[in-house]
Amino acid sequence: MKNKLSTLVMAATLLSQSGLGRASEAVEDFQTWGNVTATGSFAALNPDLQGWRYWLEGQGRFGNDTSRYSQSLIRGGVGYDVMERLNVWLGYAYVTTDRPFAANPFDEHRVWQQLLWTEPFSWGSFMSRTRMEQRFMEVGNETGWRFRQFFKLSVPFTFAPDFMWVAYNEVFVDINKTDWKPANGFDQNRFFTGLGYRFTPNIHTEIGYMNQFIRRKNNPDFVNHNLSVNLYLNY
């Protein structure tokens, strides 16, 4: 199993570096990203809603060596359990973006759909999240479609089971060209590795390093070295 995990980690690392032929020319920044995500079942309101779920998420991102606000995101959604560990989601996100992600601040509205699968194993757990986004920018009139694929491993330590090693990789692909982004194909990649701690069965945190690579058409590519701090509430 250790060999399998090593192979998965190596594959994720390679993914995080895929398509980075111009990485040596990229603009770099050190950022801090904070995230709080709460998910749960509507059964607390009505037992007949056992299969329905909610998603509430807030993020703040600070760049220029963490001294400047860069981006914020508020995301909400409703999901339904198709199977015990498989659910589908529909939601909305509001995003505000500033430098260094954009020369001028702008707002974005997103509609998103996703398929979320989680599976426990003797060594830990695996998660796959497939998400589609429709993006509406105030700097353009056309709708951008973006595909995102996320894989995550969580492996508790045998000597301290409340602590865990966490790694994930997420690939972003723009499906179409728009009047605000005249390029499609590979958009960005995020690779995270760090430590998690479970406070209770419903609350845990994950803190670690995230490498974010963003492909840019008419400017040097962008690489963020992020301190990623996450709090997850699952009810």
Side-chain angles (χ1 to χ4, degrees):
M1 183 58 66
K2 290 183 179 179
N3 291 335
K4 291 182 179 179
L5 289 177
S6 299
T7 301
L8 286 169
V9 174
M10 183 173 293
T13 305
L14 290 172
L15 275 172
S16 72
Q17 301 300 323
S18 62
L20 311 190
R22 294 185 293 161
S24 60
E25 306 172 15
V27 176
E28 298 189 48
D29 192 19
F30 177 74
Q31 302 198 357
T32 298
W33 289 17
N35 166 63
V36 179
T37 299
T39 58
S41 171
F42 283 111
L45 301 176
N46 187 332
D48 294 336
L49 300 177
Q50 179 65 41
W52 292 91
R53 298 186 172 275
Y54 62 85
W55 182 302
L56 299 172
E57 178 181 355
Q59 295 190 26
R61 302 169 180 176
F62 301 86
N64 192 20
D65 294 331
T66 75
S67 64
R68 180 186 179 91
Y69 160 79
S70 294
Q71 198 170 52
S72 65
L73 180 149
I74 299 174
R75 180 183 286 121
V78 176
Y80 181 74
D81 292 338
V82 179
M83 299 171 59
E84 182 180 1
R85 299 186 181 92
L86 180 69
N87 39 61
V88 293
W89 294 83
L90 173 66
Y92 164 80
Y94 173 68
V95 186
T96 62
T97 300
D98 205 331
R99 290 177 290 178
F101 293 115
N104 298 299
F106 66 88
D107 295 339
E108 175 186 352
H109 303 272
R110 298 179 190 172
V111 178
W112 57 275
Q113 309 84 37
Q114 73 180 20
L115 185 68
L116 185 65
W117 171 51
T118 58
E119 190 69 30
F121 295 94
S122 59
W123 47 264
S125 64
F126 169 81
M127 175 189 292
S128 170
R129 185 182 70 205
T130 303
R131 178 179 291 172
M132 186 71 72
E133 295 175 325
Q134 296 82 53
R135 308 174 68 196
F136 306 89
M137 301 283 190
E138 67 173 1
V139 294
N141 297 312
E142 297 179 344
T143 302
W145 288 71
R146 186 166 69 177
F147 172 82
R148 301 169 55 168
Q149 182 59 55
F150 173 97
F151 295 111
K152 178 178 179 180
L153 295 173
S154 301
V155 184
F157 297 119
T158 55
F159 56 88
D162 288 334
F163 289 88
M164 69 195 81
W165 169 72
V166 180
Y168 70 70
N169 197 81
E170 185 171 20
V171 179
F172 296 62
V173 178
D174 288 316
I175 297 175
N176 65 323
K177 300 178 182 180
T178 63
D179 55 357
W180 49 267
K181 191 172 186 181
N184 59 355
F186 174 77
D187 173 50
Q188 64 174 281
N189 193 92
R190 298 177 186 175
F191 173 74
F192 170 90
T193 183
L195 294 176
Y197 178 75
R198 189 168 298 281
F199 296 100
T200 72
N202 304 109
I203 302 173
H204 80 277
T205 186
E206 296 173 2
I207 301 174
Y209 167 76
M210 177 198 289
N211 178 279
Q212 180 192 31
F213 174 85
I214 302 175
R215 181 177 72 97
R216 302 198 291 191
K217 181 176 175 60
N218 298 318
N219 294 291
D221 295 331
F222 199 83
V223 176
N224 284 324
H225 305 280
N226 298 328
L227 171 63
S228 180
V229 181
N230 307 277
L231 179 65
Y232 298 100
L233 315 173
N234 184 6
Y235 298 99

